[in-house]
Amino acid sequence: MTQNDWKPFTELIGRVYRLYQRPPLKVDDMRLYFDTLADLPFAAVAEGVKRHMKACTGVSGRFAPLPADIILALFGTPEQQAAKAWTQVRMALGKIGLYNSVRFDDPKIHFALAACGGWTGLGWATIDKEPCFRRAYLAAITNEVSWDDVPHHMAGENELDGGWNWRSDQIVDVKTLEYGELDGNKLLTAAEQKQKRLTA
């Protein structure tokens, strides 16, 4: 979010707290709430609030949401995030192949791939890499891994072989951060479009 989102954000959280019959947040508390979620777009925060309010399991939906509740509603538990990331990586490998270099939009995926042998290491693996990937992804969450900590793309076979015609603009971008989107067919749209351009 940006400062332009401050007013709609405070209006949204104010309405939610009134609905839950909670006293309004003080300005300092509202600022902390905002800053905690600042790396998310406002639309994602609004979606997270809606999901929290609709939830019927455990305490979700029964109490006014805290920032952690919104993050949980959007992304799931760390274990669910790791499972989802693994599914996305496997789908990307199946659709893109290990010969193309890739760039996911989640640095935690790059961290986990690097820990498990890289993009090509995953493709050529003769053992199940899922446990390794999930452990590394959970470690990336715990350690708040950022783009400063990981390679900015994962090299495919063509790049690693030093192909004379390989270019950096051939890196396939894979969009995964859809705030809880579980439909795998939607996750790779950007990657598929770029792949079509490269092969056309």
Side-chain angles (χ1 to χ4, degrees), residues 64-171:
L66 297 171
D69 296 317
I70 293 173
I71 292 169
L72 182 64
L74 288 171
F75 299 108
T77 64
E79 290 76 15
Q80 290 169 330
Q81 292 176 50
K84 177 185 167 193
W86 172 252
T87 300
Q88 292 166 335
V89 165
R90 291 299 300 171
M91 287 189 308
L93 184 63
K95 292 194 175 189
I96 297 168
L98 58 85
Y99 287 93
N100 294 302
S101 298
V102 295
R103 178 171 39 236
F104 290 87
D105 57 358
D106 179 358
K108 297 183 293 299
I109 288 179
H110 284 212
F111 180 87
L113 284 172
C116 299
W119 183 241
T120 56
L122 177 67
W124 290 116
T126 57
I127 61 170
D128 183 9
K129 291 282 188 169
E130 182 176 2
C132 171
F133 181 91
R134 287 197 188 201
R135 283 193 304 273
Y137 194 91
L138 289 171
I141 292 174
T142 301
N143 294 303
E144 298 182 353
V145 165
S146 72
W147 285 113
D148 294 332
D149 307 313
V150 297
H152 284 234
H153 76 276
M154 304 306 294
E157 285 289 342
N158 290 337
E159 180 181 355
L160 291 173
D161 288 345
W164 64 271
N165 61 347
W166 185 86
R167 302 182 317 273
S168 61
D169 65 351
Q170 295 174 331
I171 298 170

Side-chain angles (χ1 to χ4, degrees), residues 4-101:
N4 292 335
D5 297 312
W6 171 253
K7 184 177 180 183
F9 174 83
T10 58
E11 290 172 352
L12 171 66
I13 300 303
R15 287 197 314 271
V16 170
Y17 271 59
R18 283 195 302 275
L19 181 65
Y20 279 96
Q21 299 178 346
R22 300 289 298 157
L25 293 175
K26 296 177 181 175
V27 174
D28 287 347
D29 296 334
M30 187 70 81
R31 175 57 64 183
L32 179 60
Y33 204 130
F34 181 87
D35 290 344
T36 303
L37 299 173
D39 58 339
L40 297 173
F42 175 72
V45 173
E47 176 65 21
V49 168
K50 183 170 71 174
R51 290 184 188 186
H52 171 81
M53 292 174 67
K54 290 172 70 174
C56 300
T57 58
V59 297
S60 293
R62 293 173 50 203
F63 301 101
L66 297 171
D69 296 317
I70 293 173
I71 292 169
L72 182 64
L74 288 171
F75 299 108
T77 64
E79 290 76 15
Q80 290 169 330
Q81 292 176 50
K84 177 185 167 193
W86 172 252
T87 300
Q88 292 166 335
V89 165
R90 291 299 300 171
M91 287 189 308
L93 184 63
K95 292 194 175 189
I96 297 168
L98 58 85
Y99 287 93
N100 294 302
S101 298

